[in-house]
Amino acid sequence: QVQLVQSGAEVKKPGSSVNVSCKASGVSGGSFSRFTINWVRQAPGQGLEWVGRIIPILDIPNYTQKFQGRVTITADKSTSTAYMELSGLTSDDTAIYYCARLYRTAFDIWGQGTMVTVSS
Amino acid sequence: EVVLTQSPGTLSLSPGERATLSCRASQSIKSTYLAWYQQKPGQAPRLLIYAASIRATGIPDRFSGSGSGTEFTLTISRLEPEDFAVYSCQQYDYSPWTFGQGTKVEFK
C-alpha cells in the first residue's frame, strides 16, 4: 500500500527558506519514478492551493506562476523522495504543505501534511 | 486561471438528509478533469470522486458526482455522522490546477 510520509513541522524566520520532504513507502523506486508528485498548500482557515509538481522519471518540475522564482521541487528516485523548497518566506507562507500523488486526473494519495510557520 | 466557486459556503443538515453541493467553473472544463475531496479537521484531503462521477476506491455509493461544462454537483444521498466535513472541488484541465474554496457540511 503506497503511503506518502512528510517531514515534520518547521518554524522559520521571514526571508529564510524551508525544505519539506515527501517519502513514498510501499513502492519500488521504479514505480515512484513514474508518479506525478504534486505540492498543495493550505493557509489557516483557507482553501487548497496548488504549488507545483514533478514527474521523477522526467525530472521536469512545473510551478504555478505565483511561486515562480521562489519554489524548487525536486525528486530523488533512489530514495523515492520528493522535496519542495520555498525561499523568501513571509508570514503569508504560513500554511500546511501537502504532497499528493496524481492518479489519472485527481490526487488519490496525500501525505499527512507539514505545518510551516513563518514568524519573527 | 480557472476559478471554481462552490455553493453554499455552509450546509446545515441532519443525519439521514440529502446533501447537494455545487461547484461552478469560470470557464468550461472537461468532465474528465473534475474531482471532489472530503477534508476533516486536522486531516489531509481524501479523494471522493474523479472524472466528475467516478467514485474513488473505497468510497461508499451514497456519494455521487455529476455535471459537465461549468456546472458540477456532489450529492450525498443520506448523510452519515462521519460525512460532516468540508468538501472541495478541483479542476485538472487548465494549469494552474485550482480548487474551490470549499463547502462545509455541518450538523443542524
Side-chain angles (χ1 to χ4, degrees):
Chain A
Q1 182 177 349
V2 180
Q3 286 187 299
L4 299 176
V5 180
Q6 299 182 223
S7 49
E10 303 264 12
V11 179
K12 294 293 183 179
K13 299 287 188 188
S16 67
S17 299
V18 67
N19 199 327
V20 182
S21 67
C22 170
K23 183 175 175 61
S25 63
V27 63
S28 68
S31 296
F32 173 78
S33 295
R34 291 186 292 274
F35 287 177
T36 299
I37 298 294
N38 293 265
W39 288 91
V40 176
R41 78 176 188 180
Q42 186 170 38
Q46 302 299 310
L48 299 161
E49 180 178 33
W50 182 71
V51 175
R53 67 174 183 180
I54 190 166
I55 305 173
I57 198 169
L58 299 178
D59 206 21
I60 298 175
N62 300 106
Y63 310 121
T64 189
Q65 184 79 14
K66 176 178 178 178
F67 298 100
Q68 286 278 3
R70 283 210 302 139
V71 67
T72 303
I73 296 174
T74 58
D76 183 339
K77 295 185 286 291
S78 68
T79 60
S80 299
T81 304
Y83 299 90
M84 183 208 66
E85 181 179 26
L86 188 61
S87 61
L89 293 170
T90 72
S91 58
D92 289 342
D93 295 315
T94 293
I96 299 174
Y97 290 77
Y98 295 101
C99 60
R101 183 185 78 163
L102 176 70
Y103 171 74
R104 296 190 179 179
T105 58
F107 301 165
D108 69 327
I109 298 173
W110 294 67
Q112 82 278 18
T114 297
M115 182 69 214
V116 175
T117 303
V118 183
S119 174
S120 56
Chain B
E1 71 178 43
V2 177
V3 177
L4 298 178
T5 302
Q6 292 187 241
S7 60
T10 302
L11 202 49
S12 299
L13 296 168
S14 301
E17 290 192 295
R18 182 184 188 89
T20 303
L21 289 67
S22 172
C23 175
R24 176 173 292 176
S26 59
Q27 65 187 78
S28 182
I29 59 175
K30 300 179 193 67
S31 300
T32 305
Y33 299 111
L34 194 286
W36 289 93
Y37 300 86
Q38 176 194 67
Q39 189 174 23
K40 297 179 180 178
Q43 296 184 17
R46 174 194 180 197
L47 177 64
L48 296 176
I49 300 282
Y50 65 96
S53 62
I54 300 175
R55 279 187 299 277
T57 302
I59 302 303
D61 60 8
R62 63 180 181 273
F63 291 92
S64 63
S66 63
S68 62
T70 61
E71 301 281 347
F72 298 89
T73 300
L74 174 70
T75 302
I76 310 171
S77 59
R78 287 178 59 83
L79 281 165
E80 297 287 340
E82 62 268 28
D83 299 337
F84 290 86
V86 175
Y87 294 84
S88 300
C89 56
Q90 180 213 5
Q91 66 83 22
Y92 201 81
D93 197 359
Y94 297 99
S95 182
W97 328 129
T98 50
F99 294 83
Q101 82 281 13
T103 289
K104 181 179 181 180
V105 178
E106 65 175 21
F107 283 102
K108 187 174 182 180

